[in-house]
Amino acid sequence: MKLSEWKKYQVIREMSNLRDPLQSFSMRELAITIPTPIGEMYATSDFSAITGTGWGPKPHSHICGSNEILEWVRNWFDGYFVGEIIEIPPIKKCGLSAFASDVITALSEQVPYGTTISYNELGVISGYQNSSRAVGSVMSKNPWPILVPCHRVIASNGDVGNYSGNGGQMTKLRLIKMEKNHSGRIFR
């Protein structure tokens, strides 16, 4: 096999290991792993904003490293779990529908630490009446779990509802309870 054929083979092999071939473009992004009381999480950044957070170690498609934005999100997570909330780092909302962006923005800006809101109420404050199922769909695909607090969204009857994060409903309940216990603290 010639060298150029070998390189093509390696690229094809590497891309076949990715869930989405377009993820190969994320090599310009950095990622860090963040230990938390609810398990290991990761954050990714393109140097201008947070592009994602999630459960487990950093994605293999990202370069391990840090930058100012990732250090900001690491500090945010450290503070979050002890009830000291700092300003949320900028998040990159590229690829979201207008509806999803409106819902994520309303949740981030209008549902404070230590409180919950129903899927229906979140739809209403986002500007969309009778959209609880669509709001639930947006929450299930939240690319920034905990940072964008989808765990604060519950059913209208008070049931916790589903949670796509590691540990499912038990983690959601744990986060809600932790926030309620810390909600009387002074934030920095």
Side-chain angles (χ1 to χ4, degrees):
M1 192 179 289
K2 293 179 183 174
L3 183 59
S4 62
E5 290 174 340
W6 176 250
K7 285 184 179 182
K8 285 180 192 175
Y9 170 77
Q10 286 179 317
V11 168
I12 291 169
R13 185 172 164 211
E14 181 179 302
M15 289 184 75
S16 70
N17 289 331
L18 299 173
R19 280 182 270 155
D20 177 356
L22 293 177
Q23 284 184 342
S24 63
F25 291 108
S26 68
M27 291 301 288
R28 294 184 304 248
E29 295 184 2
L30 294 178
I32 58 170
T33 301
I34 305 166
T36 76
I38 58 170
E40 190 173 65
M41 296 192 72
Y42 69 85
T44 57
S45 167
D46 69 355
F47 299 94
S48 66
I50 296 297
T51 55
T53 61
W55 309 96
K58 74 165 189 69
H60 294 294
S61 60
H62 290 70
I63 299 168
C64 184
S66 192
N67 61 31
E68 189 175 304
I69 299 289
L70 288 172
E71 288 307 314
W72 185 352
V73 81
R74 181 191 313 274
N75 290 334
W76 186 92
F77 272 101
D78 289 346
Y80 171 81
F81 285 103
V82 296
E84 297 174 354
I85 301 303
I86 60 174
E87 184 181 354
I88 293 177
I91 58 174
K92 186 159 261 174
K93 295 183 187 173
C94 294
L96 294 180
S97 67
F99 173 78
S101 181
D102 291 346
V103 169
I104 296 263
T105 299
L107 175 61
S108 298
E109 295 177 358
Q110 297 182 46
V111 183
Y113 188 94
T115 65
T116 56
I117 189 169
S118 73
Y119 294 96
N120 188 56
E121 290 170 326
L122 181 55
V124 169
I125 67 169
S126 301
Y128 302 93
Q129 298 287 335
N130 303 315
S131 61
S132 57
R133 287 182 188 228
V135 167
S137 179
V138 170
M139 296 298 96
S140 72
K141 297 175 180 104
N142 177 8
W144 310 278
I146 301 182
L147 194 63
V148 172
C150 56
H151 59 276
R152 294 182 191 152
V153 187
I154 61 173
S156 295
N157 65 4
D159 287 346
V160 174
N162 295 323
Y163 188 59
S164 59
N166 192 26
Q169 287 183 338
M170 293 304 293
T171 299
K172 186 172 183 174
L173 281 168
R174 188 173 172 192
L175 292 169
I176 290 169
K177 184 178 178 181
M178 180 203 71
E179 286 189 10
K180 287 188 189 277
N181 289 338
H182 288 146
S183 64
R185 297 181 72 149
I186 298 172
F187 302 119
R188 51 182 163 128

